[in-house]
Amino acid sequence: MKAELEQLKIEAFQLLNRAQDSSAVDALEIDLLGRRGKLSTLLARIPELPVEERSGIGTLASSIRKELQDAIVAKRGQFSAPTSQSLDFDPTWPGHSPSIGHLHPVTAFLERSADFFASLGYTIADGPEVETATNNFDRLNIPANHPARDLWDTYYLNPARAGLLLRTHTSPVQVRYMDSHKPPVYIISPGRVYRHEATDASHDTNFTQLEGLAIDRDLHLTDLLGTLEAFLKHTFGKVKVQVRPSFFPFVEPGVELHMSCLLCGGKGCSACKQTGWLEMLGAGMVHPTVLKNMHVDPAKFSGFAFGIGVERMTMLLHGIPDVRLLLSGDQRFLEQFHY
Ligand code: PHE
C-alpha cells in the first residue's frame, strides 16, 4: 500500500505539471482528492490490510494529501490573475501623493512684484538686515535726537556697539546702493525690516518692505504716482486709492497711499482700524539733502522713492484678516496658498 501511495503521488505531480488551465486543475483535484477520488479509494482498502502493514499508512496518506493540496493551490495560482488575497497589499488603494511645497504668500507676492518692476527696467538691490544707525537714520536726513526717530523705534544690538540696529525700513539700501552707483538708477529692494511695535491685526514687529528708488533727470511726482498706479493695477486690478500728503524726512514732498480695505469692502474692520482704508506705502521725491548724501547733484538730478508694505498688500490680495498669521508657520493657513 505504501508503494501504491508513493506511486499515486508521482503520477499526481506529473498530471498536475501537465495541466494547461485552471479547469484541468479542478478536474484533477476531484480525481485525486475528491470523496471518491484516487486517494480515498486507496485508503478505503486499509481495513483489508493485514494489521502489521497498516502502521504508518495514515500518516503517509495525510502528508501526501497535504503535499498535493499545496501543489494544486500553487498551480491554480499560475492561471488566475493576482487578487488582493494573493498579494500582501491592495493595489486598488489610492496612493499617498507626495506633498509638494510651495512659496510662502509673501515670497510669491515679492516675486510677482519684482517681475513687474523688472518689466519697467528696475533691477534688484540688496542690503543687510543689521544696519548702521548712520544708514538707517542719519544719511536719510533723520539726525540723532530728531523726533522723527520715534516713528522708527527699533532693536539696537549690543549697547557697546550702539551704532548697530535691526533696520526699520529698506530705505538704507538706497544710500548703500548710491555709494557705488551713479544715476540714472532704477532699483527695487525687497527685504525684512523690524520695529518695536505693540502687535495687532495689522502690525507685526517683523515684516517685509519693497523699496523702490529712481534717480534720473527730470523725474517728477507724476512719474512716481504713475509708476505706483501701474503697480497697483497690476497687483489688484481695479482698486480705490487715496494719495495723502505725509511726512518722511528723506522725501519732499512726501505722500502715503491708502487703499480701500478689501477685507471689509471699506466698511471698517480690525485690519483697517475701523477706517475702511489701509496705509499701503510711503513715497515721495527724494529730499535734496539725501541726494547729496548719495553723492548726487540735486541741481542735475531728481528722484523718487517708495516703500511698500508687502504683508498688507498680501493680506488684501488674499483676504487675510490678521498679519500675524503670515509668520505663524501654521500649515493649515499656509497650505491655502498653492499657486
Ligand atoms: N521708509 C518709509 C517707511 O518705512 C517708507 C518710505 C520709503 C517713504 C521711501 C518714502 C519713501 O515708513
Side-chain angles (χ1 to χ4, degrees):
M1 167 85 68
K2 278 188 186 160
E4 283 176 85
L5 278 170
E6 295 291 356
Q7 187 58 33
L8 175 66
K9 178 176 147 185
I10 292 163
E11 280 171 19
F13 271 102
Q14 283 169 351
L15 290 170
L16 202 55
N17 275 340
R18 268 183 252 136
Q20 297 290 339
D21 52 33
S22 61
S23 60
V25 177
D26 292 346
L28 207 53
E29 184 176 28
I30 294 168
D31 185 41
L32 291 168
L33 306 176
R35 253 190 315 135
R36 287 196 214 116
K38 292 199 168 99
L39 190 63
S40 301
T41 314
L42 251 181
L43 296 179
R45 284 175 32 218
I46 290 180
E48 299 164 15
L49 293 179
V51 178
E52 53 299 354
E53 270 190 40
R54 287 187 203 170
S55 93
I57 294 280
T59 327
L60 180 63
S62 56
S63 90
I64 288 176
R65 175 182 289 276
K66 173 90 178 62
E67 271 182 82
L68 289 178
Q69 269 166 344
D70 289 349
I72 284 166
V73 169
K75 187 75 185 177
R76 204 175 266 137
Q78 288 176 14
F79 298 125
S80 54
T83 65
S84 54
Q85 275 127 6
S86 65
L87 296 173
D88 58 3
F89 69 94
D90 179 354
T92 64
W93 192 251
H96 294 285
S97 50
S99 53
I100 297 169
H102 58 87
L103 294 180
H104 188 281
V106 166
T107 313
F109 181 91
L110 282 179
E111 292 206 346
R112 271 188 63 190
S113 307
D115 284 349
F116 170 78
F117 283 109
S119 77
L120 297 187
Y122 284 69
T123 53
I124 296 182
D126 207 5
E129 290 175 26
V130 173
E131 247 313 349
T132 62
T134 314
N135 284 337
N136 195 79
F137 292 127
D138 300 82
R139 294 179 75 195
L140 291 170
N141 203 25
I142 315 173
N145 304 322
H146 191 285
R149 283 208 186 188
D150 291 351
L151 296 174
W152 288 275
D153 202 3
T154 186
Y155 303 93
Y156 287 82
L157 305 176
N158 189 356
R161 303 181 60 196
L164 287 183
L165 46 79
L166 293 181
R167 67 177 177 188
T168 59
H169 48 181
T170 40
S171 300
V173 183
Q174 296 182 27
V175 286
R176 279 185 172 271
Y177 187 81
M178 293 312 290
D179 278 345
S180 53
H181 293 82
K182 288 199 172 340
V185 298
Y186 289 85
I187 55 162
I188 52 165
S189 182
R192 188 166 282 197
V193 302
Y194 302 82
R195 299 221 185 142
H196 183 252
E197 292 264 17
T199 61
D200 62 27
S202 54
H203 294 85
D204 210 337
T205 53
N206 183 332
F207 59 101
T208 315
Q209 286 190 334
L210 179 63
E211 189 82 13
L213 173 71
I215 301 179
D216 208 337
R217 288 178 201 275
D218 294 325
L219 284 183
H220 301 286
L221 190 63
T222 45
D223 298 307
L224 166 63
L225 296 179
T227 304
L228 292 176
E229 193 188 323
F231 171 69
L232 293 175
K233 262 206 190 122
H234 165 81
T235 307
F236 294 99
K238 241 182 154 185
V239 274
K240 269 208 265 176
V241 179
Q242 280 187 343
V243 181
R244 302 186 190 177
S246 186
F247 173 70
F248 300 97
F250 31 93
V251 289
E252 179 58 35
V255 296
E256 275 168 16
L257 253 66
H258 292 240
M259 258 173 55
S260 67
C261 181
L262 299 176
L263 295 171
C264 60
K267 284 195 209 85
C269 65
S270 64
C272 63
K273 289 206 185 111
Q274 314 304 330
T275 63
W277 294 92
L278 267 176
E279 182 193 338
M280 305 304 287
L281 57 91
M285 301 308 290
V286 182
H287 195 289
T289 305
V290 177
L291 284 177
K292 280 187 211 145
N293 292 343
M294 292 172 168
H295 329 287
V296 174
D297 181 354
K300 290 194 183 135
F301 292 96
S302 55
F304 63 73
F306 52 86
I308 295 170
V310 172
E311 276 78 3
R312 296 225 178 136
M313 292 219 171
T314 307
M315 285 166 72
L316 283 197
L317 199 58
H318 298 296
I320 299 166
D322 194 313
V323 68
R324 292 165 290 195
L325 283 166
L326 288 164
L327 279 183
S328 67
D330 187 335
Q331 288 222 347
R332 292 167 303 175
F333 168 72
L334 292 173
E335 279 170 359
Q336 300 173 58
F337 301 98
H338 275 284
Y339 288 89

